[in-house]
Amino acid sequence: DYATNVAMVVAKQAGQSPRALAEQLREQLLGQLDAVERIEVAGPGFLNFYLHRDFFTEQVDAVRTAGEQWGSSKQWAGKRVVVEYTDPNPFKEFHVGHMFTNAVGECIARLFLMNGADTKRVNYQGDVGLHVACAVWGMQKNGITADTKIDAKDLGMAYSTGATSYRDDVVAQTEIRKINKLIYEQSDEKINALYQLGRTVSLEYFETIYAVLGTEFDDYFFESEAGPLGKELILENPHIFPESDGARVFKGEDYGLHTRVFLNKEGLPTYEAKELALAKLKHDRLDGYDHSVISTANEINEYFKVLLQAMRLVYPELASRTEHIGHGMVRLSTGKMSSRTGQVIPAWDFIEEITEAAKEKIIENQPEIQNDTDSLQRRAQDIAIAAIKYSTLRGNISQDSIFDKTQALSFEGDSGPYLQYTYARIGSVLEKAVSVGVNPSTKNPPVDPYEIERTLYRFPEVIEAALAERAPHQVVTYLTQLAGQFNTFYAQEKIADPSDEYAPHKAAVADAVRITLKNGLWVLGIKAPERL
């Protein structure tokens, strides 16, 4: 159940052979470890530890007693943690990239929660800047007025129109820069009206997606509020942000990084200045924090290195509490997405596509469900979100991932729907067991623990390690292994069999697995439906 190579590590220092030292350690440890039944020396000097049957039995009971709290710890108890993620820009389409960013950030937040932190989820959204000016210019060109009824797709098209013209047309570029300044100044009523229309439509649209993804933010921050403070910070610290060609910059080369503009030639704060101010805004509005996590795509990792170095000079205490987690990008068959060109896959379209595919799978197995359209839609959407989130989190988050629809929707292993299916299956099995008089109980366990019991108790360790290493995929790997072991266990053992003296214990183990799967799925941001 556990092993150590400590004897091989220190044998030379101790002046003994690893095997001889391992034997001495074994003798000293015998009877000293409560949960350990026996210790064996293996190979060149490994120490192998085998746990008592009573330990595994007690763990099954512990899982069932803890229920929703199973897997949680106090590692971060008493600490306030702020996790910022998703960060879509109003006036742009909420695309698949945002959705994958949301999945990573939500999982990180839930890992902190599971480890006892007072966790606040926040979302930082760019409601001012050149992209907004491009969108407002595009709204004008597309005939949109303050009284026009529009949706997110209209805004996406307006942005694409403006961004393309800004790139290709010098006249349009001048006009868009003027609009950008007017938005900051709020000095033009017509521009203000278009701006408010686009902002409102965008934010309402984002909320519908957050609801489906299962994210509830505790607070929202906007570039429009960070901008003035950011500009003030830059001007107050000329020694940190010297003038360069009419702009204010941070000379990152002095720290082995690269130079970035914090205040442009027009006197407007850049993303960098706003981000610097955001740290202070979050700290003040949330009554302080012990740790701040910012989760974004890793394509801006270098940008954050410069930002954090500047923050060390302006806000050293906040910088020491700030961590940036850069994650990989999602890749689809069409390649990398770009909202500038309009070649994006909107999140809603993607969710609906996967949901429709899930419906087909459900109907294959339950044709009668077609008569209950609400239930069919609800189940299919739960499966779709599970497929998307599992695919996002199954690998190292620092690396790019490729979404394969067929694999993602599989009910036969290595997928979110497979975990949901196993959870629902256990519930059905336990219902059947109780109906024939088999009630979960650990009073009469078999002499040897089942293999699945040797995996079950490790869940809290996995949760702690996944947070410590910022590695959600460890939870995915563990749950997939657990589900696979249960399905093998169920294929070999009868649970709903009143004639089997060990059936109650098997039912208790099944119940503990069910609880573990549910709690693990929650960490991943995936629902655990009682029926699929």
Side-chain angles (χ1 to χ4, degrees):
D1 297 300
Y2 289 98
T4 179
N5 66 342
V6 64
M8 291 182 284
V9 173
V10 301
K12 185 175 181 181
Q13 182 181 345
Q16 299 185 55
S17 72
R19 180 91 186 185
L21 182 57
E23 292 286 359
Q24 288 183 37
L25 288 170
R26 174 182 175 279
E27 291 299 321
Q28 290 295 321
L29 288 170
L30 287 175
Q32 302 298 312
L33 305 173
D34 292 341
V36 175
E37 180 180 46
R38 71 182 191 277
I39 306 171
E40 294 179 356
V41 175
F46 289 102
L47 281 169
N48 290 339
F49 301 84
Y50 298 82
L51 303 179
H52 281 293
R53 153 37 95 194
D54 288 348
F55 170 82
F56 294 107
T57 305
E58 290 165 2
Q59 287 299 298
V60 172
D61 285 334
V63 176
R64 300 180 66 224
T65 299
E68 291 183 356
Q69 296 303 310
W70 167 239
S72 62
S73 77
K74 301 297 182 182
Q75 292 291 316
W76 281 76
K79 302 289 186 181
R80 172 164 289 186
V81 176
V82 178
V83 183
E84 176 204 320
Y85 57 102
T86 309
D87 298 355
N89 285 329
F91 296 86
K92 288 186 178 182
E93 195 90 65
F94 191 109
H95 57 64
V96 172
H98 295 126
M99 187 167 57
F100 280 75
T101 295
N102 176 273
V104 172
E106 181 67 26
C107 185
I108 294 294
R110 294 187 181 204
L111 283 170
F112 273 109
L113 283 165
M114 284 289 281
N115 281 275
D118 174 11
T119 307
K120 301 295 182 185
R121 301 171 173 89
V122 303
N123 194 345
Y124 177 54
Q125 300 175 105
D127 63 339
V128 292
L130 197 58
H131 72 282
V132 177
C134 285
V136 171
W137 186 90
M139 291 168 74
Q140 290 178 325
K141 294 301 179 183
N142 292 349
I144 295 172
T145 69
D147 299 321
T148 305
K149 288 188 176 181
I150 62 171
D151 58 21
K153 289 187 182 296
D154 295 320
L155 284 177
M157 290 302 297
Y159 170 75
S160 180
T161 298
T164 302
S165 297
Y166 183 86
R167 180 192 63 198
D168 300 332
D169 186 338
V170 176
V171 174
Q173 187 176 115
T174 302
E175 293 175 352
I176 289 170
R177 285 187 176 277
K178 181 180 179 181
I179 289 174
N180 190 33
K181 193 169 184 179
L182 290 173
I183 291 172
Y184 273 101
E185 295 172 349
Q186 298 183 9
S187 57
D188 186 296
E189 290 186 7
K190 289 185 178 179
I191 294 297
N192 289 347
L194 280 178
Y195 169 80
Q196 289 299 334
L197 172 64
R199 188 179 189 275
T200 299
V201 169
S202 281
L203 297 181
E204 289 177 351
Y205 158 67
F206 291 167
E207 288 301 320
T208 62
I209 299 177
Y210 300 147
V212 171
L213 296 177
T215 293
E216 292 184 16
F217 289 104
D218 296 288
D219 210 337
Y220 297 87
F221 294 84
F222 295 93
E223 286 191 27
S224 57
E225 58 183 326
L229 176 59
K231 181 174 181 178
E232 184 180 324
L233 286 171
I234 305 311
L235 295 177
E236 287 178 349
N237 293 278
H239 59 295
I240 299 175
F241 305 101
E243 186 175 337
S244 175
D245 195 23
R248 293 277 181 176
V249 303
F250 178 75
K251 294 185 176 180
E253 281 86 354
D254 294 343
Y255 304 91
L257 302 169
H258 65 279
T259 293
R260 295 196 71 90
V261 176
F262 277 66
L263 205 64
N264 66 24
K265 295 179 182 179
E266 297 171 349
L268 298 178
T270 61
Y271 289 115
E272 291 81 352
K274 297 168 194 170
E275 197 82 44
L276 192 61
L278 177 62
K280 178 66 171 172
L281 287 173
K282 285 193 285 192
H283 184 271
D284 291 350
R285 191 184 299 175
L286 299 172
D287 297 323
Y289 53 73
D290 297 288
H291 194 66
S292 175
V293 174
I294 304 167
S295 178
T296 71
N298 58 19
E299 61 185 2
I300 59 173
N301 281 1
E302 295 305 311
Y303 154 78
F304 259 95
K305 289 178 183 177
V306 176
L307 176 68
L308 287 172
Q309 182 56 51
M311 193 185 298
R312 290 185 188 103
L313 302 177
V314 179
Y315 292 130
E317 288 189 7
L318 297 185
S320 67
R321 304 174 195 171
T322 301
E323 171 189 5
H324 174 245
I325 298 177
H327 60 77
M329 302 288 284
V330 59
R331 305 287 173 176
L332 303 173
S333 58
T334 52
K336 184 179 177 181
M337 295 163 292
S338 167
S339 55
R340 181 181 62 77
T341 62
Q343 300 301 312
V344 301
I345 298 177
W348 262 128
D349 292 355
F350 188 70
I351 291 171
E352 288 177 358
E353 177 188 342
I354 307 305
T355 299
E356 288 302 312
K359 283 182 182 178
E360 293 177 8
K361 278 187 163 288
I362 295 172
I363 292 171
E364 283 178 15
N365 296 300
Q366 303 174 55
E368 68 281 0
I369 201 173
Q370 295 181 78
N371 300 322
D372 188 348
T373 55
D374 288 344
S375 178
L376 176 60
Q377 174 66 23
R378 185 170 58 254
R379 293 188 194 184
Q381 194 171 83
D382 287 345
I383 291 170
I385 297 302
I388 293 166
K389 290 195 173 188
Y390 183 101
S391 295
T392 304
L393 302 170
R394 66 191 292 265
N396 188 320
I397 60 172
S398 66
Q399 300 173 350
D400 289 351
S401 61
I402 298 176
F403 184 85
D404 183 308
K405 183 168 66 175
T406 301
Q407 179 183 351
L409 286 170
S410 172
F411 285 88
E412 298 176 357
D414 201 18
S415 74
Y418 172 68
L419 298 182
Q420 290 178 314
Y421 163 76
T422 304
Y423 172 80
R425 184 184 196 186
I426 295 173
S428 178
V429 168
L430 289 174
E431 284 182 8
K432 182 179 179 181
V434 171
S435 71
V436 297
V438 175
N439 295 299
S441 171
T442 59
K443 291 182 178 179
N444 182 34
V447 174
D448 295 319
Y450 296 109
E451 187 62 29
I452 196 168
E453 292 181 78
R454 297 184 181 278
T455 300
L456 184 63
Y457 80 93
R458 291 179 40 239
F459 182 57
E461 296 177 4
V462 173
I463 294 297
E464 286 189 23
L467 177 61
E469 299 172 30
R470 307 300 191 257
H473 72 273
Q474 294 189 17
V475 180
V476 175
T477 300
Y478 170 82
L479 294 178
T480 305
Q481 177 188 2
L482 185 70
Q485 287 184 344
F486 174 80
N487 286 310
T488 298
F489 170 73
Y490 182 62
Q492 298 172 344
E493 306 287 342
K494 293 181 178 180
I495 296 176
D497 182 2
S499 66
D500 185 343
E501 65 173 316
Y502 299 128
H505 183 81
K506 296 175 188 177
V509 170
D511 189 36
V513 173
R514 182 185 64 84
I515 292 168
T516 305
L517 285 174
K518 184 175 184 178
N519 293 0
L521 286 169
W522 180 86
V523 170
L524 302 180
I526 295 174
K527 289 183 179 179
E530 300 299 325
R531 295 282 184 273
L532 285 185

